[in-house]
Amino acid sequence: MRGASPIALFVTVTIAFYLLDPSAGLMKVIVDFDRWEHINGSDIFNVEKLRVRKFNRTLSVLNGTGALLIDLSDKYEYGVSFARSAQGNSQYDAYPMKLASRPFCDFVKTHYHDYQHLFLNFTNLPFVPDGGLCPFPKGEYWVKDAYIDSSVIPIVVPEGFWRATTELRIIETGEIVARGAMYVKITKEYV
């Protein structure tokens, strides 16, 4: 491109950038909290004071206080599975994306540790260093105006209503001792 004008060079580089990463600057993912359901496990978690509320016209947030009533160790395993309802009619189909169940301390050392930067500013949950944190301490934990940073949602995740179901199991017996579900709506808009 010898002798090309700076504008032509900029346009060429911009087009090449979009060809290499077609989602860059073209589409934005919007994640909106709907609700949190505590299905069972009130002898382990007390989350009756957690609520989703509208923060502004476009953003819902999670607020409140919850209590972890026991220390969580590798006696338990924890995982998250996802399901999608394209129509929003509460008919959810399992989605092949999940955070696989693993011993609780291992889950905290990996997934919690990797994503804690997204929520530690909104809560008093403990910081997990590289070496992990085991057992995870019981206590009262608060959350204030927490939202989901949509930049962590891959652009390939389809729009619709989503349910993220969490399960805590006793490893020895496989018994589910606590279960909860977070519901969100994912939309996309062109920018």
Side-chain angles (χ1 to χ4, degrees):
M1 293 200 119
R2 199 175 288 256
S5 75
I7 293 174
L9 184 58
F10 174 77
V11 169
T12 304
V13 168
T14 302
I15 290 171
F17 179 73
Y18 284 124
L19 291 175
L20 292 173
D21 183 5
S23 66
L26 297 177
M27 190 172 290
K28 178 169 85 172
V29 176
I30 300 165
V31 182
D32 191 29
F33 269 122
D34 182 33
R35 68 187 184 278
W36 170 264
E37 287 181 357
H38 183 74
I39 300 167
N40 71 334
S42 57
D43 53 335
I44 296 174
F45 298 103
N46 180 351
V47 292
E48 293 176 6
K49 296 179 184 173
L50 285 178
R51 301 284 181 263
V52 173
R53 72 174 180 89
K54 204 69 170 159
F55 184 74
N56 61 29
R57 193 171 62 84
T58 60
L59 182 66
S60 295
V61 294
L62 184 65
N63 280 297
T65 303
L68 176 58
L69 304 173
I70 62 170
D71 289 335
L72 292 175
S73 66
D74 276 345
K75 172 184 175 184
Y76 302 95
E77 69 178 8
Y78 188 74
V80 183
S81 60
F82 298 91
R84 177 175 173 258
S85 172
Q87 306 289 327
N89 57 6
S90 295
Q91 294 181 8
Y92 287 89
D93 296 319
Y95 202 74
M97 172 177 68
K98 65 181 174 180
L99 299 177
S101 289
R102 53 178 53 181
F104 195 83
C105 293
D106 192 31
F107 188 93
V108 168
K109 187 177 179 179
T110 56
H111 299 308
Y112 181 104
H113 178 265
D114 291 345
Y115 293 103
Q116 66 185 343
H117 68 280
L118 297 172
F119 57 80
L120 285 181
N121 291 335
F122 308 118
T123 178
N124 68 333
L125 285 167
F127 172 80
V128 174
D130 290 339
L133 175 66
C134 193
F136 195 88
K138 67 181 177 180
E140 190 167 282
Y141 297 106
W142 55 263
V143 60
K144 174 114 173 99
D145 296 337
Y147 61 90
I148 298 172
D149 180 358
S150 60
S151 68
V152 300
I153 308 296
I155 197 72
V156 297
V157 172
E159 291 182 299
F161 295 85
W162 286 84
R163 178 183 66 211
T165 303
T166 63
E167 288 186 348
L168 182 70
R169 295 176 185 265
I170 297 175
I171 290 178
E172 192 174 289
T173 63
E175 174 190 2
I176 298 172
V177 293
R179 183 184 287 158
M182 180 178 61
Y183 295 83
V184 299
K185 180 180 180 186
I186 293 180
T187 55
K188 297 177 183 178
E189 63 180 44
Y190 290 97
V191 290

